[in-house]
Amino acid sequence: MDLDRPARFVAPDLLGAVLTVDGVGIRVTEVEAYEGEADPASHAWRGMTPRNAVMFGKAGRLYVYLSYGIHSCVNIVCDVEGRASAVLLRAGEVVAGEEAVRVRRGRVPYARLASGPGNLGSALGLTATDSGLALDGVRATVVAGPAGHIMSGPRVGISRAADTPWRFWLVGEPSVSGYPRSARA
DNA sequence: CTTTTGATCGTCT
DNA sequence: GACGATCAAAAGC
């Protein structure tokens, strides 16, 4: 998997890949691409800040941020150093360490364990203090995997550039959120 | 079933 | 001091 490309190209390739953090494995089923200066919806739109600095760094690290004061959302940083670019992991299927996930997520249906960016972050047990974590095999890894039928559409939950079709998901996967229900193709 | 609202806080203006 | 790359529960129909 070549992460040294802009997020919009890496995003669809990440579908079907398995991200493992501290023994919990998640098969990615839904992602969104965010790119620096050219993308008004990106955190890096107005340049580097202490929070988004990791987005400007080299590929293969995790960018984790606190959303709405409650949820931790997880991105995989891509593109070459100096170009802010990241893929938000919106949903996945838990394929390893389900017991550890249930401690944090409780008694919810299997398909919902990591459905939605906040839930996925919770399932992995990541918080903003983990931002910058390298996918180097120490605590975390990504391994590419087979993807089925891929579809794309507008990103969810943003107010700017809401028409850019940089959301990608696997058709037929129960964990895909698409929250809130609107664009059904 | 659809729409609204409360929770909760770091970040940037 | 306002506002989110959100979620689940409650209220409205």
Side-chain angles (χ1 to χ4, degrees), chain A residues 68-157:
Chain A
Y68 290 88
I70 301 176
H71 302 108
S72 297
C73 298
V74 182
N75 299 251
I76 292 179
V77 176
C78 42
D79 212 335
V80 296
E81 188 163 10
R83 286 192 191 170
S85 197
V87 175
L88 169 69
L89 305 180
R90 285 197 58 89
E93 175 192 7
V94 176
V95 293
E98 184 179 340
E99 297 75 24
V101 173
R102 293 235 172 248
V103 172
R104 295 184 282 262
R105 296 277 299 123
R107 248 182 98 185
V108 299
Y110 173 74
R112 276 203 217 161
L113 282 172
S115 178
N119 291 335
L120 188 145
S122 170
L124 288 175
L126 291 170
T127 64
T129 60
D130 296 304
S131 195
L133 183 64
L135 300 170
D136 57 4
V138 178
R139 282 185 61 199
T141 58
V142 227
V143 177
H149 187 193
I150 295 176
M151 286 197 80
S152 64
R155 292 173 290 184
V156 174

Side-chain angles (χ1 to χ4, degrees), chain A residues 2 25 32 36 44 49 61 72 88 91 112 154 166 171 176:
Chain A
D2 178 20
E32 279 176 6
T49 67
R61 293 161 134 5
S72 297
L88 169 69
R112 276 203 217 161
W166 284 355
V171 176
V176 171

